[in-house]
Amino acid sequence: MKKTLILLTVLISSISLYSQEIERLDFNLSLRSNHFWRGITVTDGAMADVDINYALDHKKYLKLGVWGGIGLGDTNGQHYHEINYYLHYSTGKWGVGVWDVFNSTGRLKDAKDNDIWNYDHKTSGHRFDFRGYFVFCDSFPLKLDYGTSFYGADRNEKGDQRWSTYTGLNYPIIKGKVVDLDIFCGAAFGLAGKSSFYGNEKHDFDIVNAGITASKDVSVLGYKLPVSATAMWNPSRKEARVQIATSLF
C-alpha cells in the first residue's frame, strides 16, 4: 500500500510538471493583405504567418521560437516563403533578442544562398539580426525599436558585412478607444559607414519607414477579431503601401 501511494504521488507530480511545461508552448496565426517590415515591402501578395514559440521561464519572458510566412498565391511569378528562428526576452516594457532570418523567395533552386543549411558568412542566405525595444513609461508610452544585422546576407558588392541598422519610434496617439491610432517613423544606416538594405542603397542615412496604424476589434460570427489597417511610406525607396491584417489566434 505504501509503495502504491509513493508511486501514485510520483505519477501525479510528473503529470503536474508535464502540464506546466505544455502551458509554455504556444502558436499564433495571422493573415495580411500584404507584408512589409521596417519600410521594406517583403511581398505585395496576401500572406499568412505562423509563430510557434516555447517559453523557457515560468513568466514567459524568454521565448525560443520559429516564425514563418507563406504567400497565399503567386506575386509577379514568385511565391513568398520565409522561415525565421529567434530567441527573445521581453517584459512588455523592454526586450532584446537574436533572429535568424531566411527568406528564399525568388532565389535559384540550386544556389548557395537558397540552401537552408548553408551558414557560410560569404554565401549564406541567412541573415542574423540583433533586435531590441524600449518603452519609456506608462504615462509616455513612446517605443524605441532597434535592430542591427551582424552576420550573413547583408553584404556589399565586395562581400563585406554592411551592419545595416534600423532605429524607429512608435507612439500611440489614441489608445483605449473604439479605434486606436499609432504613428511611427524609422531611419536606417550602415554601421560600416555604407548604405543599408532598408533604403535605396545610395545614402549612408535614410528615412525608410513612416506611417500610421489604426486598429480595432471587429465582431465576426460572435467572435471579436483584432484588425489593423496600416499606411506606410518609405521616402528613400519612394514607395508606399497600405495593409489590412488580423490575428486569428
Side-chain angles (χ1 to χ4, degrees), residues 1-33:
M1 184 63 179
K2 185 177 181 179
K3 290 182 179 179
T4 302
L5 289 175
I6 292 174
L7 182 60
L8 186 60
T9 301
V10 171
L11 181 61
I12 292 174
S13 299
S14 299
I15 293 174
S16 177
L17 289 172
Y18 179 75
S19 298
Q20 291 177 13
E21 294 301 311
I22 289 299
E23 289 178 357
R24 295 184 181 185
L25 181 65
D26 198 6
F27 68 96
N28 310 99
L29 172 65
S30 297
L31 299 177
R32 307 176 195 274
S33 60

Side-chain angles (χ1 to χ4, degrees), residues 37-144:
W37 176 76
R38 293 179 175 175
I40 298 174
T41 302
V42 183
T43 177
D44 274 323
M47 56 86 70
D49 62 80
V50 176
D51 181 13
I52 308 169
N53 59 78
Y54 181 79
L56 299 176
D57 64 319
H58 70 280
K59 291 185 177 181
K60 299 184 180 180
Y61 288 166
L62 181 62
K63 292 184 178 181
L64 182 67
V66 178
W67 184 95
I70 184 169
L72 300 180
D74 289 346
T75 304
N76 297 324
Q78 296 182 350
H79 197 81
Y80 164 70
H81 38 87
E82 178 177 355
I83 183 169
N84 305 332
Y85 319 113
Y86 66 87
L87 178 65
H88 193 82
Y89 185 89
S90 173
T91 67
K93 297 295 184 182
W94 64 275
V96 292
V98 175
W99 283 66
D100 173 0
V101 179
F102 188 79
N103 183 346
S104 56
T105 308
R107 292 176 180 169
L108 298 177
K109 182 178 180 180
D110 296 324
K112 291 182 177 180
D113 63 355
N114 195 40
D115 183 352
I116 190 69
W117 307 118
N118 177 19
Y119 280 92
D120 181 83
H121 183 267
K122 296 293 185 180
T123 61
S124 177
H126 291 264
R127 188 187 78 247
F128 281 79
D129 289 349
F130 170 80
R131 302 180 186 180
Y133 73 89
F134 177 77
V135 180
F136 283 82
C137 61
D138 290 336
S139 59
F140 184 61
L142 179 66
K143 181 181 180 183
L144 171 64

Side-chain angles (χ1 to χ4, degrees), residues 195-242:
S195 62
S196 72
F197 61 76
Y198 295 99
N200 59 19
E201 306 197 27
K202 296 179 180 179
H203 307 110
D204 293 344
F205 180 90
D206 284 299
I207 301 297
V208 296
N209 188 29
I212 57 174
T213 297
S215 57
K216 67 178 181 178
D217 290 336
V218 177
S219 295
V220 179
L221 299 176
Y223 294 93
K224 286 189 176 181
L225 291 178
V227 178
S228 66
T230 300
M232 179 277 293
W233 291 265
N234 185 328
S236 177
R237 295 190 176 196
K238 298 180 180 180
E239 295 178 352
R241 296 289 189 276
V242 293

